[in-house]
Amino acid sequence: MTRTSKLTVIALVFLLCGAAAYWQGRIDRARQTVPPSELYEVVRKQISAFRTSDYASAYRQASSSFQERVNMEAFSDSARSDATGVERAERVEFGAVRFEGRHAFVPVYLFMTDGDVVPCVYSLVQEENGWKIDGTRRLRRWPAGRRLGGMRA
């Protein structure tokens, strides 16, 4: 391989890396322009559907990949027996959204009537027709009276 061809290959590699960095930067900037309220609304719609036992509407908020893994009947059965208490939550609050590629992670805090807090993380994915829920993960329940940190005035 001649010196010129080696330099050409190296230049092409740098050009390819630069193009990839530019494209990734555009994707990241596009994700940062998504208002968190848009993601909160998707989660809110599913929680509202659970509260009214409208499992078909809740299922429509799920991503296509989730729907390929779980059919409507299994989803409904799971929702009826799930112990998160979404339908019994007195209040729902959202945390700061974190983006990773085409996924967004939304912390959701379910405040129960007994004072306990059930933290969950909703994973959303951007599809052709908007953001959809790809999965949820329930974290350990915070018992009533447990300090969440910070100062109280």
Side-chain angles (χ1 to χ4, degrees):
M1 192 176 227
T2 67
R3 179 183 170 116
T4 305
S5 60
K6 288 179 185 177
L7 289 174
T8 302
V9 168
I10 291 173
L12 287 173
V13 168
F14 279 115
L15 182 63
L16 182 63
C17 289
Y22 171 76
W23 186 255
Q24 184 62 41
R26 282 189 55 170
I27 291 172
D28 289 343
R29 280 189 296 281
R31 296 284 186 260
Q32 292 170 357
T33 61
V34 174
S37 60
E38 185 177 323
L39 302 170
Y40 299 160
E41 183 61 19
V42 174
V43 175
R44 189 199 61 73
K45 284 180 182 177
Q46 189 177 63
I47 290 173
S48 294
F50 281 136
R51 285 182 168 171
T52 60
S53 300
D54 183 1
Y55 302 118
S57 292
Y59 191 70
R60 282 193 293 274
Q61 299 306 314
S63 69
S64 57
S65 64
F66 179 87
Q67 291 181 9
E68 288 173 7
R69 295 187 310 263
V70 180
N71 66 26
M72 176 63 195
E73 186 178 325
F75 178 79
S76 297
D77 290 343
S78 174
R80 282 186 198 94
S81 65
D82 193 7
T84 59
V86 170
E87 67 283 345
R88 293 185 317 272
E90 183 177 69
R91 187 172 88 237
V92 177
E93 293 186 10
F94 300 94
V97 176
R98 183 174 49 91
F99 291 96
E100 286 183 16
R102 56 181 272 239
H103 289 272
F105 298 93
V106 179
V108 178
Y109 304 96
L110 305 171
F111 290 82
M112 311 309 285
T113 55
D114 63 0
D116 287 2
V117 178
V118 179
C120 304
V121 177
Y122 278 70
S123 170
L124 286 86
V125 63
Q126 189 172 30
E127 294 184 344
E128 300 166 358
N129 52 351
W131 290 90
K132 296 291 183 174
I133 298 169
D134 200 38
T136 59
R137 185 173 48 127
R138 183 181 50 186
L139 305 175
R140 192 171 59 181
R141 189 179 191 112
W142 300 341
R146 179 175 173 213
R147 288 188 58 109
L148 300 179
M151 291 182 56
R152 296 182 187 223

